[in-house]
Amino acid sequence: LNTYLGYVNSVYVGIRNTNRSVYVGDRAGESNAATYQDNTAVGFEAARYNSSGYENTVVGKSAMGAANSTAFRNTAVGFYAGAYMTSGSANTLVGRLAANAITTGSSNVVIGKDAATAITTGSLNVAIGAGTTLSITDSSQIAIGYGATTSGGSALALGASASAAANCMDIRFGGSYRDWE
């Protein structure tokens, strides 16, 4: 149930001892153990250190590749998307450097170039838009819009350059804003 192409240090399509997984690219899925299955990784070092993660879909240079070891059921698409994930699950990360520092956070949705690049352990967050920023470890944050920022859990920042602290909202329309606590 595997497909192989290329020399060990060149290109993998599939990899020795995998179970229903496909790896395409130099060092993609290089550390995958035989018992972990249903991974797809495309790109140089994509899911490189995925030793026991499963059901991951990874596309892009070093996407989920720098530290991934047990992460499962993630989708990471983009250059270095989710690059340092170690055990997070059920994340959807799309865009160049999308949540690239995330380590153990789960159930996050991050879409956009340079979106949520600082988050590490937070879960249940949504960041949509280029340059959105979430608090590093907090959960239940929503930042939508170019440069929208949250700085604590249960915060909502909606609109370009909106900024919300923990348990607060900032909604901006056409340059004006309204803050709620």
Side-chain angles (χ1 to χ4, degrees), residues 58-124:
V58 182
V59 178
K61 180 185 186 290
S62 296
M64 285 181 58
N68 180 23
S69 59
T70 63
F72 60 96
R73 295 187 178 129
N74 295 288
T75 300
V77 178
F79 177 84
Y80 277 86
Y84 291 95
M85 190 181 310
T86 56
S87 62
S89 65
N91 292 293
T92 301
L93 316 173
V94 179
R96 180 187 179 277
L97 300 175
N100 65 310
I102 197 166
T103 55
T104 61
S106 294
S107 300
N108 294 292
V109 175
V110 177
I111 301 172
K113 176 187 170 289
D114 301 321
T117 57
I119 191 168
T120 57
T121 60
S123 295
L124 305 168

Side-chain angles (χ1 to χ4, degrees), residues 13 15 22-23 36 39 47 59 66 69 73 79 83 93 99 102 125 127 129-131 135 168 174-175 178:
V13 175
I15 187 170
V22 176
Y23 297 96
Y36 297 94
N39 293 298
V59 178
S69 59
R73 295 187 178 129
F79 177 84
L93 316 173
I102 197 166
N125 295 300
S135 173
C168 293
R178 172 90 188 212

